[in-house]
Amino acid sequence: MRAIILAAGLGLRLQQPPGEQFPKCLLRFDGVSLLERHLQMLEAVGVDEVVLALGFQPEQVEAELTRAGRKVPEIKLNPRFDLGSVLTVHTVADALTRGGDVLLMDADVLYDERMLAALVAGEHANRLLIDRDFEAGDEPVKLCLKQGVPIELRKQLAVGLDYDMIGESVGFFRFTEAAARRFAEIVAGYVDSGRANLPHEEAVRDLLLERSHAFDTADVTGLPWIEIDFPNDVARATKEVLPQLQRPALQEALKR
């Protein structure tokens, strides 16, 4: 199994002072960067092949990996990181299509390791994570199910959409080899048609709605996590999420 970590963006909504901006994956919580947490937890569940999709200040990310004593994993650069994440995913098309199950993960998430365990459980699955306890509004990417089947994945839902479960998508996806290849084709179509500025969730949505590959969902409601986009998310991550994370022993290992 291979993990692709999307960490190319500038993170403008964090409102970092000009000249002091750095990739969000290098945000530290209890002295440990988000990137290092990702790598440690992926190792813990047996995922040892990692591809980093970088764009903004990749040298800072490489320096952090060196500082942490880590071998620098495979890196793919998106020089137009100012565009949408569809283009970033397109830069890692080779990693999507070289075989085996693939995890596609946003880098700016602080999360409990049980969420990752739910994502990788079993063999050869297409899987999404859903959290039914979420704040209403336009920011969360909503995942809607009808009789267990994903029928929508968007921030804004059509009026009258018929579903029997709704939650927030965590932003981690698992694809089988065949589904990953089809996803890469859809992403390429976005780029070729001038839609590279869109979020990659739109391409995931297309894959879901064409029903060519069955997806299951893992319900992670109640587990602590947060996607970090705004300054108040950093505060919430520190005060609310970090103290709830499972396995203090792992957290101590992360700090060493």
Side-chain angles (χ1 to χ4, degrees):
M1 190 179 297
R2 180 181 317 106
I4 299 171
I5 301 177
L6 302 179
L10 182 57
L12 287 175
R13 293 185 295 181
L14 274 183
Q15 300 175 7
Q16 298 172 340
E20 300 180 22
Q21 295 170 317
F22 58 88
K24 283 196 290 183
C25 67
L26 300 186
L27 283 168
R28 292 182 176 277
F29 297 94
D30 201 17
V32 185
S33 71
L34 289 176
L35 178 59
E36 178 64 11
R37 290 176 183 275
H38 270 296
L39 297 175
Q40 286 279 357
M41 286 194 278
L42 286 166
E43 283 183 355
V45 297
V47 178
D48 56 5
E49 185 181 355
V50 177
V51 178
L52 295 180
L54 305 180
F56 176 63
Q57 296 188 353
E59 66 283 353
Q60 286 206 37
V61 177
E62 293 188 45
E64 165 63 16
L65 292 167
T66 301
R67 186 206 64 78
R70 284 196 166 272
K71 178 183 177 181
V72 177
E74 181 179 353
I75 290 176
K76 300 287 186 179
L77 290 178
N78 173 15
R80 290 305 311 274
F81 56 83
D82 54 316
L83 295 178
S85 56
V86 156
L87 187 57
T88 299
V89 172
H90 188 54
T91 65
V92 296
D94 172 69
L96 281 169
T97 59
R98 68 178 64 151
D101 280 19
V102 179
L103 307 180
L104 187 67
M105 311 178 72
D106 288 337
D108 58 352
V109 182
L110 180 66
Y111 61 98
D112 191 285
E113 66 172 357
R114 288 170 289 182
M115 299 173 72
L116 185 56
L119 189 64
V120 304
E123 295 187 4
H124 308 305
N126 296 305
R127 183 169 296 140
L128 305 93
L129 301 183
I130 186 171
D131 184 351
R132 292 177 287 104
D133 183 14
F134 69 101
E135 297 180 0
D138 291 338
E139 189 60 30
V141 176
K142 288 86 173 175
L143 174 59
C144 301
L145 309 180
K146 180 71 173 181
Q147 296 180 344
V149 177
I151 60 168
E152 187 55 289
L153 182 74
R154 264 189 174 164
K155 289 186 176 183
Q156 296 184 338
L157 305 179
V159 176
L161 180 67
D162 183 23
Y163 55 84
D164 52 32
M165 180 182 292
I166 183 172
E168 183 175 0
S169 170
V170 174
F172 298 164
F173 306 102
R174 177 177 173 181
F175 305 110
T176 62
E177 179 176 339
R181 290 183 182 277
R182 177 58 187 144
F183 177 59
E185 293 173 353
I186 293 171
V187 167
Y190 270 66
V191 175
D192 292 343
S193 61
R195 295 177 291 164
N197 62 320
L198 293 177
H200 66 282
E201 288 89 353
E202 285 294 299
V204 177
R205 176 181 184 267
D206 287 354
L207 179 62
L208 293 175
L209 296 186
E210 73 178 21
R211 304 283 191 268
S212 58
H213 300 274
F215 276 77
D216 66 35
T217 56
D219 192 335
V220 296
T221 304
L223 296 182
W225 72 282
I226 187 169
E227 181 180 5
I228 299 169
D229 290 318
F230 301 99
N232 65 308
D233 293 333
V234 177
R236 285 188 57 199
T238 302
K239 296 178 181 179
E240 300 175 22
V241 177
L242 188 64
Q244 299 182 63
L245 296 182
Q246 193 185 46
R247 286 185 59 183
L250 175 59
Q251 303 311 314
E252 288 302 316
L254 287 168
K255 291 190 288 185
R256 289 199 292 270

